[in-house]
């Protein structure tokens, strides 16, 4: 039974589990594991950590809850903003896992995103997250062709869900009207630009620079580097990539391979792709990397 504050039981549970007595990352990881439908391995992947490390973090979080006697009660309305950052992070990581192949998780994340915006209509980041998920999910049907991954530049735009794009842009407009300039709003603005027939690559690179400044995230810095390269500055993009310490993240090595190829450094590109293949999970992305490596020919 939901409280008077909540109309959605699943959302009520998310706000209840995201207790501020735990560190944000512990809140998010534990909630993903217990409520989000993700395995420990999937949670670890979301945090770019080994599965054993994540398993230990989850055990420590549970012990802290027990030792400190942390009460799991539905928070009153005035405390909801204190838990919003963790709740939005949980929803977005559920969406990301779903976007990678589990469609039911992506759909549930979008449903929860709508519920948050109804519960807290004046929160710009909630509207920004909903916009981001809608805009990304609008391209779902075009991401795979015969089971193989299709990159954005090669996607059939006729397969994009135009209604979802418009819904996403409406949510983005709402977030911007609320003065939003947080991480989800910035990512939604980037996703909106990616949904244009002719992309403003310089503006995308500028937004990624702002997002990197706001978040300090190495993953965002990686995307910024690619955006800089797409704006016509591949050498500068590669320099940015080489400053990122994410050796176990296959996207970093795949990105380096792409920029090295553009710069005519094919042997180094082969080495980068070989490293990417050592750490990428099996599936469409692995097969895409193998095709890219084969396209470079023999050394």
């Amino acid at each position: 039974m939901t409280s008077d504050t909540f109309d959605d039981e699943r959302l009520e549970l998310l706000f209840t589990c995201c207790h501020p007595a735990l560190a944000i990352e512990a809140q998010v990881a534990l909630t993903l594991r217990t409520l989000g439908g993700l395995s420990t391995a999937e949670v670890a992947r979301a945090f770019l950590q080994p599965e054993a490390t994540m398993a230990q973090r989850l055990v420590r979080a549970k012990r802290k809850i027990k030792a400190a006697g942390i009460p799991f009660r539905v928070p009153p309305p005035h405390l909801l903003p204190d838990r919003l950052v963790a709740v939005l992070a949980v929803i977005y990581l559920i969406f990301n896992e779903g976007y990678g192949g589990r469609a039911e998780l992506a759909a549930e994340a979008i449903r929860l995103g709508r519920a948050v915006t109804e519960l807290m209509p004046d929160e710009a980041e909630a509207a920004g997250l909903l916009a981001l998920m809608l805009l990304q999910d609008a391209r779902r049907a075009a991401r795979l062709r015969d089971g193989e991954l299709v990159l954005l530049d090669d996607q059939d735009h006729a397969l994009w869900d135009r209604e979802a794009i418009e819904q996403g842009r409406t949510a983005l407009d709402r977030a911007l009207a609320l003065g939003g300039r947080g991480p989800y709003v910035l990512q939604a603005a980037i996703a909106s630009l990616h949904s244009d027939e002719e992309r403003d690559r310089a503006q995308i690179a500028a937004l990624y620079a702002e997002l990197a400044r706001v978040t300090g995230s190495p993953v965002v810095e990686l995307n910024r580097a690619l955006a800089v390269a797409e704006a016509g500055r591949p050498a500068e993009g590669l320099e940015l990539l080489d400053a990122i310490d994410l050796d176990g993240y296959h996207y970093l090595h795949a990105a380096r391979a792409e920029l090295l190829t553009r710069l005519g450094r094919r042997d180094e590109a082969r080495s980068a792709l070989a490293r990417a293949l050592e750490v990428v999970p099996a599936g469409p992305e692995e097969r895409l990397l193998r095709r890219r490596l084969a396209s470079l020919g023999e050394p």
Side-chain angles (χ1 to χ4, degrees), residues 219-248:
V219 174
V220 171
E221 192 66 23
L222 187 158
N223 284 295
R224 175 194 170 203
L226 287 174
V228 166
E230 290 293 334
R233 307 193 303 276
E236 182 181 340
L238 181 61
E239 186 177 342
L240 291 169
L241 287 179
D242 286 342
I244 298 172
D245 182 15
L246 282 176
D247 183 59

Side-chain angles (χ1 to χ4, degrees), residues 6-255:
F6 293 89
D7 292 325
D8 187 290
E9 185 173 6
R10 190 82 178 272
L11 185 62
E12 179 182 69
L13 286 170
L14 287 184
F15 272 96
T16 300
C17 288
C18 289
H19 197 288
L22 295 173
I24 287 285
E25 284 196 356
Q27 293 176 46
V28 173
L30 194 57
T31 306
L32 282 171
R33 182 68 187 93
T34 55
L35 287 180
L38 274 64
S39 66
T40 301
E42 289 169 333
V43 175
R45 187 162 63 242
F47 280 84
L48 307 182
Q49 292 184 354
E51 183 176 353
T53 301
M54 179 52 66
Q56 292 171 356
R57 292 187 65 183
L58 291 170
V59 168
R60 286 196 297 270
K62 291 175 183 176
R63 285 176 180 164
K64 180 173 181 179
I65 290 168
K66 185 175 181 180
I70 295 173
F72 277 83
R73 294 190 293 263
V74 178
H78 70 278
L79 292 181
L80 296 183
D82 295 340
R83 304 189 181 201
L84 183 62
V85 170
V87 168
L88 294 182
V90 168
I91 293 171
Y92 189 41
L93 289 172
I94 292 173
F95 174 80
N96 279 342
E97 191 62 34
Y99 194 60
R102 297 177 61 183
E104 78 283 359
L105 288 180
E108 174 65 3
I110 290 172
R111 190 191 69 77
L112 288 167
R114 293 188 192 278
V116 175
T117 61
E118 292 170 6
L119 177 67
M120 307 176 77
D122 294 329
E123 290 288 348
E125 278 290 84
L129 174 58
L130 177 59
L132 173 60
M133 293 189 295
L134 287 167
L135 288 162
Q136 289 184 331
D137 200 60
R139 300 194 294 268
R140 171 183 297 278
R143 290 187 73 239
L144 292 174
R145 184 184 301 133
D146 298 326
E148 300 301 333
L149 191 65
V150 181
L151 298 178
L152 182 60
D153 284 342
D154 301 321
Q155 289 178 8
D156 181 354
H157 293 192
L159 296 176
W160 290 0
D161 185 338
R162 293 294 168 184
E163 182 179 355
I165 290 172
E166 289 309 309
Q167 290 178 5
R169 285 175 168 166
T170 297
L172 175 58
D173 288 343
R174 171 65 178 165
L176 292 171
L178 290 168
R181 292 291 294 179
Y184 294 119
V185 176
L186 289 169
Q187 288 178 83
I190 292 168
S192 180
L193 289 171
H194 276 306
S195 301
D196 289 336
E197 290 296 330
E198 294 293 331
R199 280 174 279 164
D200 186 338
R201 298 181 188 275
Q203 180 63 18
I204 290 170
L207 284 171
Y208 267 122
E210 174 65 9
L211 183 61
R213 185 191 67 79
V214 168
T215 64
S217 163
V219 174
V220 171
E221 192 66 23
L222 187 158
N223 284 295
R224 175 194 170 203
L226 287 174
V228 166
E230 290 293 334
R233 307 193 303 276
E236 182 181 340
L238 181 61
E239 186 177 342
L240 291 169
L241 287 179
D242 286 342
I244 298 172
D245 182 15
L246 282 176
D247 183 59
Y249 193 50
H250 69 275
Y251 291 115
L252 173 62
H253 303 291

